[in-house]
Amino acid sequence: MLICIMASAACWGADLTGNWAAADTRSDGTTLKTYFDLKQEGASITGHIRVSQFYYAIRESTGGPDGFTLTAGMMDGRTDRVVKYEGKLVGDELHVGTRRRPDAPLTELVAHRVPAGEGAYPKRVPPAALHKVPYNGLAKTPPMGWNSWNKFASRVDDAVVRGVADAVASNGMKEAGYLYINIDDTWEGERDGKGNIQTNKKFPDMKALSDYVHGKGLKIGIYSSPGPNTCAGYEGSFGHEEQDARTYAAWGIDYLKYDWCSARNLYTDEEMQAVYQRMGDALRAAGRPIVYSLCQYGRADVWKWGPEVSGNLWRTTGDIRDSWDSMTKIGFNQNDLAPWAAPGHWNDPDMLEVGNGGMSEIEYQTHMSLWSILAAPLLAGNDLRSVSSSILAILTNREVIAIDQDAGGKQGKRVWKSGDQEIWIRDLAGGDKAVGVFNRGASAAGVTVEWTDLQVKMPARGRDLWAHKDVSFTGPQYTADVAAHGVVMWRIAQR
Ligand code: GLA
């Protein structure tokens, strides 16, 4: 006999089958929706859970309307991303929650029934056949500027961008070459009735902001994704590529970072070129010069096809963090990609962390030196409104920047390694060489450079780029004293 306890779902024979949505309003006015598309058959619950960019298939369930658990997962690149929910039916509401960690309190959502199909993952648009998108003529040297993500993440807003533009225009960075003020993820609002992307409350008027930044003699960048959602779960450009490119052009945008994110739910890595080609075409058709920055974490050998979609730079790695470990794992791992860098087309080992506080100033000098030898984009990622003079001196070291911006556009390479010590050399236009002697070890080291082995002609005039001093090398060896985690960097004349 069925024992019916009032308020128990069993009394109405209700089940969980249906499409349920819970909305969470962010402080910027946008909503983050979670959809539970469930099918209950006896003791089994199947279906999908969508949290903006995440689309999970239910793999296991226990219980029913009176109390259930769901385990769902999706492949996120090579990572299996798993979520667990627990909940119950309460009247006509689905009360459902997750825990950040197994011992953390439940974060509860209340979901209501919505029509079938609402929130369903969009159907993919088959990618077009490949063709070459002509080079846009931009970024003849690696782009320089600032990007909001490393320091501000979702806290970036109009005031931050104006404040940073003011700082760059007045603290010497603009004169040192930092031009692009780039807004990363979380500026996006919803689309209007015609499908036009709008900003959220944090950015009341993008055209006015762009005029402000241009008024300072700087350029402005923005961010989107070829998928339906960005990595932070905001509106992406999927299905609106041409329209968004026109909007960016109308706002006066000069730079677009286009981040794969949720496109992974619709397209394979093999299809990336075709997907990035679409925005390359759209930017071209929009008729404004816009630097095109591909961000897909270095998958699918992007350096081989980035120029074909009119990409000016492409990320070669996952996200950098403000730590010695993260910075060096990325930076010292770029050697094999050197052949793919050239004027207009750059490998991008991610933005600078200089000044964000997780590394020492010596380590930040190493970061800046390595990125310059790598011909990497120099996008500062710190709060430039309150930068210290010593950090500013690192970011604006003109002699190091001249290496990064060398017109030859050749990326440097590792030429020697022994234990924790490495020497990297970049061949410069006109024949000079930039030499970085790096000490990745935790104590200071004397590193002896054998010039003949490294094919550096002696005797030679040199310049120590951090000490700002001339050095004269007489050969055949030179021993550099390199601080722990430090670098000695020279420019050496070869004529
Ligand atoms: C990805 C990118 C980051 C940043 C965030 C924003 O993780 O790799 O650089 O743009 O998305 O959500």
Side-chain angles (χ1 to χ4, degrees):
M1 193 182 82
L2 181 71
I3 301 168
C4 175
I5 304 161
M6 283 310 289
S8 153
C11 292
W12 317 301
D15 75 15
L16 299 167
T17 300
N19 193 21
W20 304 84
D24 195 8
T25 305
R26 302 180 180 108
S27 57
D28 57 28
T30 56
T31 44
L32 178 64
K33 282 199 174 159
T34 306
Y35 288 94
F36 299 87
D37 188 10
L38 307 179
K39 185 165 181 197
Q40 187 200 333
E41 285 167 306
S44 140
I45 307 164
T46 53
H48 287 90
I49 301 170
R50 179 175 176 196
V51 193
S52 68
Q53 75 271 38
F54 300 113
Y55 188 59
Y56 304 99
I58 296 173
R59 294 175 181 169
E60 281 169 33
S61 71
T62 63
D66 281 337
F68 63 85
T69 67
L70 303 174
T71 304
M74 67 177 274
M75 286 311 290
D76 187 355
R78 266 166 274 165
T79 313
D80 192 18
R81 189 182 261 276
V82 175
V83 285
K84 289 177 192 287
Y85 285 90
E86 52 197 275
K88 60 177 183 274
L89 202 57
V90 179
D92 54 4
E93 292 177 344
L94 190 69
H95 289 208
V96 62
T98 52
R99 297 176 197 277
R100 280 182 180 273
R101 294 178 312 280
D103 57 344
L106 205 62
T107 313
E108 264 219 318
L109 297 168
V110 176
H112 295 99
R113 284 189 187 274
V114 292
E118 190 186 309
Y121 214 79
K123 293 236 175 324
R124 60 184 248 129
V125 176
L130 294 179
H131 57 261
K132 176 154 177 66
V133 186
Y135 170 47
N136 57 17
L138 303 172
K140 295 243 163 70
T141 62
M144 290 178 67
W146 173 85
N147 174 292
S148 59
W149 187 255
N150 284 355
K151 174 70 186 177
F152 293 93
S154 65
R155 297 178 309 279
V156 64
D157 61 14
D158 180 280
V160 166
V161 176
R162 284 174 194 250
V164 167
D166 291 346
V168 171
S170 61
N171 68 7
M173 287 185 73
K174 180 174 124 181
E175 291 71 21
Y178 292 88
L179 273 195
Y180 290 94
I181 305 296
N182 293 347
I183 306 165
D184 206 280
D185 204 351
T186 79
W187 62 268
E188 309 87 343
E190 324 275 321
R191 292 188 181 275
D192 70 11
K194 292 187 179 142
N196 293 313
I197 187 73
Q198 300 177 97
T199 53
N200 64 43
K201 276 193 204 157
K202 297 190 297 169
F203 291 89
D205 186 342
M206 195 59 94
K207 177 70 172 68
L209 178 58
S210 149
D211 288 347
Y212 183 84
V213 173
H214 289 146
K216 299 265 158 192
L218 298 168
K219 294 182 180 290
I220 186 164
I222 210 162
Y223 166 99
S224 190
S225 169
N229 299 101
T230 67
C231 293
Y234 286 72
E235 188 72 22
S237 290
F238 177 75
H240 296 272
E241 291 82 354
E242 293 75 17
Q243 192 175 15
D244 285 358
R246 285 194 298 271
T247 301
Y248 305 151
W251 283 342
I253 298 295
D254 307 297
Y255 186 117
L256 171 68
K257 172 173 167 184
Y258 206 44
D259 194 349
W260 189 243
C261 305
S262 65
R264 73 188 149 204
N265 297 327
L266 300 175
Y267 298 105
T268 63
D269 279 18
E270 290 67 40
E271 292 168 322
M272 279 179 168
Q273 180 177 347
V275 173
Y276 276 93
Q277 168 186 278
R278 182 158 179 194
M279 186 51 96
D281 281 334
L283 292 174
R284 184 174 161 76
R288 183 178 170 87
I290 297 180
V291 170
Y292 188 24
S293 156
L294 317 186
C295 176
Q296 39 77 289
Y297 336 116
R299 275 150 65 170
D301 291 348
V302 57
W303 36 87
K304 295 187 180 160
W305 52 263
E308 300 293 305
V309 302
S310 178
N312 297 110
L313 60 157
W314 44 82
R315 277 272 293 279
T316 58
T317 74
D319 290 13
I320 195 168
R321 282 171 297 105
D322 182 21
S323 73
W324 170 254
D325 196 43
S326 167
M327 184 276 286
T328 51
K329 263 195 192 135
I330 291 178
F332 288 108
N333 213 7
Q334 302 295 307
N335 195 45
D336 294 347
L337 300 182
W340 305 100
H345 310 292
W346 308 103
N347 291 309
D348 172 11
D350 209 356
M351 304 165 296
L352 298 174
E353 290 283 9
V354 175
N356 276 333
M359 288 181 250
S360 69
E361 291 187 359
I362 286 181
E363 292 171 336
Y364 286 138
Q365 286 183 352
T366 298
H367 187 6
M368 187 79 189
S369 305
L370 186 52
W371 261 235
S372 294
I373 288 176
L374 294 174
L378 296 179
L379 295 170
N382 57 325
D383 187 350
L384 295 172
R385 301 168 308 175
S386 56
V387 62
S388 71
S389 55
S390 52
I391 291 295
L392 196 56
I394 295 173
L395 287 170
T396 56
N397 182 328
R398 300 274 192 117
E399 299 192 271
V400 172
I401 291 173
I403 304 303
D404 182 75
Q405 296 289 300
D406 183 75
K410 282 201 182 131
Q411 181 171 326
K413 297 205 64 169
R414 176 167 37 230
V415 292
W416 178 87
K417 177 171 164 60
S418 170
D420 286 330
Q421 282 85 47
E422 302 193 12
I423 302 176
W424 288 63
I425 294 192
R426 179 170 173 188
D427 291 328
L428 304 173
D432 288 5
K433 288 183 190 278
V435 179
V437 184
F438 294 93
N439 176 14
R440 299 174 66 176
S443 39
V447 183
T448 300
V449 186
E450 302 278 355
W451 297 118
T452 322
D453 294 357
L454 306 186
Q455 293 171 8
V456 181
K457 283 181 263 162
M458 287 293 140
R461 281 176 297 109
R463 178 88 179 153
D464 183 322
L465 306 186
W466 287 107
H468 300 294
K469 280 194 182 131
D470 292 338
V471 199
S472 94
F473 298 103
T474 44
Q477 311 179 316
Y478 188 94
T479 299
D481 295 320
V482 195
H485 290 185
V487 63
V488 170
M489 191 173 174
W490 301 298
R491 180 180 191 121
I492 303 183
Q494 290 290 273
R495 280 192 297 185

